[in-house]
Amino acid sequence: MPNIIEITDFEAPELDIYARLTETQLLNRHEPEKGLFIAESPKVVERALDAGYTPVSLLLERKHIEGEARNVISRCGDIPVYTADFDVLTKLTGFQLTRGVLCAMRRLPLPDIHSVCDGARRIAVLENVVNPTNVGAIFRSAAALNIDAVLLTPACSNPLYRRAVRVSMGTVFQIPWTFLGEEFSRWPQPCISLLKHMGFKTAAMALGDQSVSIEDPRLAAEEKLAIVLGTEGDGLAEQTIADCDYTVRIPMSHGVDSLNVAAASAVAFWQLGRRP
């Protein structure tokens, strides 16, 4: 039987996860094994459950108990299911819930770069992409357009931030990913050398005198390719571009010189995600 709990006290500590803890506090860098994240909407929660994440509690609109959240509730065992009407939940959280369901879940340990890239032929590498909306959109494009894995430099926004999870439509639970941490925390080296040792050619998405068109047949012919995308605004660092095998441009018209990183990722993944 689900453990349904009607919300009567907005200050109840059990609701801190949803109403008062920041993303950084949920992440819990000092004790990562206790880290949490919030999944929003029944479809996204189900994708997280399918990927092996453990639910801690649910917060949902009362009408969804026997409606859209019914299957989610049945899969979550006897965890607390906090509920109230729409207006009460909006007042509690400070925002309107997407499809009226939030689920607090435990983070899994991050895999190492070797296990993430094992068997991969097309991967994306994100350099300092700090906007969680962009990170989520990149993951959604990666899942849709044949990208096998995603690597992130330490300054990137965390893919399990609530907005990133929501924008990705839960594809952050379907694509293998990890941060370039610990011994590989220095970017671009030794990380790019490691990728080359693993058999990847590296393609920096950037404008430059030596850049080749994204339609260059050499790119499509590469057996293993790492597509490197840079931060919003400044793009990739000069050293990163210098260390990559290719500098790749997306042909533009009407005097436009660049795309938002999320849009550029979709174009790059569509063209370069095709298998040789």
Side-chain angles (χ1 to χ4, degrees):
M1 291 290 292
N3 181 18
I4 307 296
I5 301 172
E6 185 76 17
I7 296 173
T8 58
D9 180 9
F10 280 12
E11 300 304 317
E14 295 83 1
L15 300 177
D16 286 348
I17 295 172
Y18 302 103
R20 288 171 285 276
L21 296 185
T22 66
E23 294 280 19
T24 300
Q25 289 171 320
L26 289 172
L27 179 59
N28 198 346
R29 294 182 186 277
H30 298 296
E31 296 181 278
E33 70 280 0
K34 297 181 181 179
L36 301 170
F37 68 93
I38 304 296
E40 186 174 353
S41 88
K43 178 182 288 186
V44 171
V45 174
E46 292 218 53
R47 285 180 172 172
L49 292 171
D50 291 343
Y53 290 88
T54 302
V56 174
S57 64
L58 285 157
L59 176 68
L60 51 86
E61 201 175 340
R62 185 183 290 109
K63 70 178 184 180
H64 291 316
I65 293 174
E66 294 298 329
E68 293 188 42
R70 184 175 182 177
N71 189 53
V72 167
I73 293 172
S74 70
R75 292 185 62 183
C76 289
D78 60 355
I79 65 170
V81 179
Y82 301 104
T83 186
D85 289 329
F86 176 83
D87 291 342
V88 174
L89 294 185
T90 301
K91 182 178 177 182
L92 171 67
T93 61
F95 55 84
Q96 295 184 1
L97 278 65
T98 301
R99 302 183 76 95
V101 177
L102 294 177
C103 184
M105 311 190 86
R106 297 201 183 279
R107 291 173 178 262
L108 294 174
L110 286 178
D112 62 46
I113 185 174
H114 297 281
S115 61
V116 167
C117 294
D118 184 38
R121 297 174 66 187
R122 293 291 185 268
I123 67 172
V125 182
L126 309 188
E127 178 184 274
N128 303 344
V129 178
V130 298
N131 187 313
T133 297
N134 284 335
V135 170
I138 291 168
F139 267 86
R140 190 171 183 180
S141 293
L145 299 171
N146 297 312
I147 300 302
D148 300 311
V150 179
L151 304 177
L152 304 98
T153 63
C156 283
S157 181
N158 195 289
L160 294 186
Y161 283 172
R162 187 180 68 85
R163 183 177 296 178
V165 172
R166 184 182 72 240
V167 172
S168 81
M169 288 299 295
T171 54
V172 294
F173 308 123
Q174 298 176 313
I175 298 291
W177 62 272
T178 196
F179 279 96
L180 297 168
E182 297 180 0
E183 69 268 37
F184 305 121
S185 62
R186 288 177 288 130
W187 175 263
Q189 295 295 355
C191 295
I192 288 181
S193 292
L194 174 64
L195 290 173
K196 292 180 180 181
H197 180 73
M198 296 169 68
F200 288 94
K201 293 291 186 178
T202 49
M205 299 301 302
L207 299 174
D209 295 337
Q210 304 301 316
S211 62
V212 300
S213 171
I214 197 172
E215 298 172 320
D216 190 306
R218 291 176 296 172
L219 296 168
E222 294 292 359
E223 181 68 21
K224 300 173 74 173
L225 190 67
I227 303 163
V228 187
L229 297 144
T231 185
E232 302 86 348
D234 294 333
L236 290 171
E238 290 184 6
Q239 188 60 54
T240 300
I241 296 171
D243 288 349
C244 285
D245 298 296
Y246 298 98
T247 303
V248 181
R249 68 179 183 276
I250 299 171
M252 304 281 175
S253 61
H254 297 290
V256 177
D257 63 357
S258 64
L259 295 173
N260 165 273
V261 65
S265 74
V267 175
F269 298 162
W270 163 252
Q271 180 65 31
L272 302 177
R274 304 177 189 183
R275 305 305 163 110

